[in-house]
Amino acid sequence: MRHLALLGSTGSIGTSTLAVVQAHPERLRVVALAAGRNRELLKDQCEAFRPRCVSVGSQEDAQWLRAQLSYQPELHWGPEGLLACALHAEADTVVAAIVGSAGLASTEAALRAGRRVCVANKESLVVGGALMHEAALAGGGELLPVDSEHAALHQLLDGRDPASIREVRITASGGPFRDWPLARIQAATIEQALNHPTWKMGPKITIDSATLMNKGLEVIEASVLFGLRADQVAVTVHPQSQVHAMVGFHDGSYQLQVCANDMKLPIQYCLLYPDKQPGPVAPYPWEEARAWTFEAPDLDRFPCLGLAFEALREGGTAPALLNAANEVAVAAFLQGRLGFWDIQACNRDTLSRLPAEPLGSLPQVLDADQAARRHAEGWVRART
């Protein structure tokens, strides 16, 4: 039996995780739930799973929740609440699904405390990947990726001699603007950018998919997780989103991982690893007719992907700078303060103007994150 602390329970990863828990009641139990502002859904989740530890965004939300629940769990709020859930005495597995760099400290603490961390918060690895590995080594924690592409790579690379690997390729759907000309992309609206053709996700990650920044962050994540150089990680656009990753070997052959485009599959893989059990997703229907297509990404139309490779090659705090600038720019776009093409411009300006430093400590990374946010906010204000 695995005892779960789920950080980000009301988001798309969180709700999918709870569906996997429901499919395996004999193997999985929820002991802690943490969410932000969606207190109504959190209340329903608490009543359904009865966690002993619960965290919300604010003290006011905690007071509201206490009055609503039919039982009395430990109630926390804010960043301290995330840590309380991640470090709950009964939790041996933490699903880190808090969006953005806000999940960095709780992910690091859980690894240092010896937990299995199923990381859906790619920013934790992008911003402080070496520190996450250091925390896992120091505390005996285990790091498993929830992103479909990285869970696929984990399956393909598990037990492989690293010397046999020539490259890995992660796939991208191409987002809603895959076939759009540059001029049309530059003028894209919020509604158009949120209309993803394949996945149903939160607004921030959906915009990142439209710019291909999400794939850029995943490139950095793959490098961190599997110890790969920038020239060993590539992206292939695959609109059908059914081949999730490929591994190329020095003899010229490739192996591919294929499954339905349902996040419950990689979530279950992480939670139950190394076991593979029937779950809430049907086996892949090979008898159905289909066609798969593959193409190279266009960095002129999707420059955020190129910026991510640039940050990966530069190393140190460069990925943290890029990630922070992107969070600010995407938020400003969703608020109507920036145009779609301004996202990449803000990211480029921040990455070019702020010097990257060798990665040393979590406080240093957080300082770099804040410096990039201040710079990006200033850039946004100058254009609004």
Side-chain angles (χ1 to χ4, degrees), residues 108-123:
E108 195 264 355
L111 288 168
R112 200 169 289 280
R115 310 291 198 260
R116 169 180 286 188
V117 177
C118 304
V119 62
N121 172 270
K122 64 174 60 67
E123 290 84 358

Side-chain angles (χ1 to χ4, degrees), residues 158-342:
D158 196 23
R160 290 278 185 187
D161 179 1
S164 69
I165 307 302
R166 185 172 62 85
E167 69 166 8
V168 304
R169 288 185 170 269
I170 57 177
T171 59
S173 69
F177 306 144
R178 181 177 63 88
D179 296 324
W180 285 29
L182 178 57
R184 191 180 177 197
I185 292 174
Q186 291 173 330
T189 67
I190 297 172
E191 292 74 20
Q192 290 167 333
L194 288 173
N195 187 27
H196 197 281
T198 306
W199 300 95
K200 299 303 178 187
M201 307 172 290
K204 196 270 180 182
I205 193 173
T206 303
I207 301 302
D208 282 350
S209 183
T211 65
L212 288 197
M213 177 55 81
N214 189 52
K215 204 53 51 177
L217 297 178
E218 289 177 5
V219 165
I220 299 171
E221 185 181 3
S223 172
V224 168
L225 280 167
F226 304 111
L228 300 165
R229 303 184 308 271
D231 63 352
Q232 288 182 293
V233 186
V235 173
T236 294
V237 176
H238 169 52
Q240 296 79 23
S241 300
Q242 294 175 344
V243 176
H244 297 278
M246 320 170 195
V247 172
F249 302 95
H250 287 296
D251 63 2
S253 66
Y254 280 81
Q255 289 187 0
L256 283 63
Q257 193 268 358
V258 178
C259 65
N261 53 347
D262 190 319
M263 284 305 300
K264 290 188 285 293
L265 279 166
I267 290 168
Q268 177 172 302
Y269 173 75
C270 290
L271 293 178
L272 299 183
Y273 175 81
D275 296 339
K276 286 183 176 287
Q277 299 288 330
V281 181
Y284 192 80
W286 286 103
E287 65 279 2
E288 294 180 11
R290 62 176 47 78
W292 290 343
T293 58
F294 303 94
E295 60 194 66
D298 183 343
L299 298 186
D300 291 329
R301 291 185 299 131
F302 301 100
C304 283
L305 179 57
L307 291 175
F309 274 102
E310 181 181 325
L312 176 57
R313 288 190 292 267
E314 188 168 358
T317 58
L321 298 174
L322 178 60
N323 176 74
N326 184 66
E327 287 189 17
V328 170
V330 169
F333 170 67
L334 288 169
Q335 294 160 3
R337 299 165 62 203
L338 285 184
F340 183 78
W341 198 245
D342 290 329

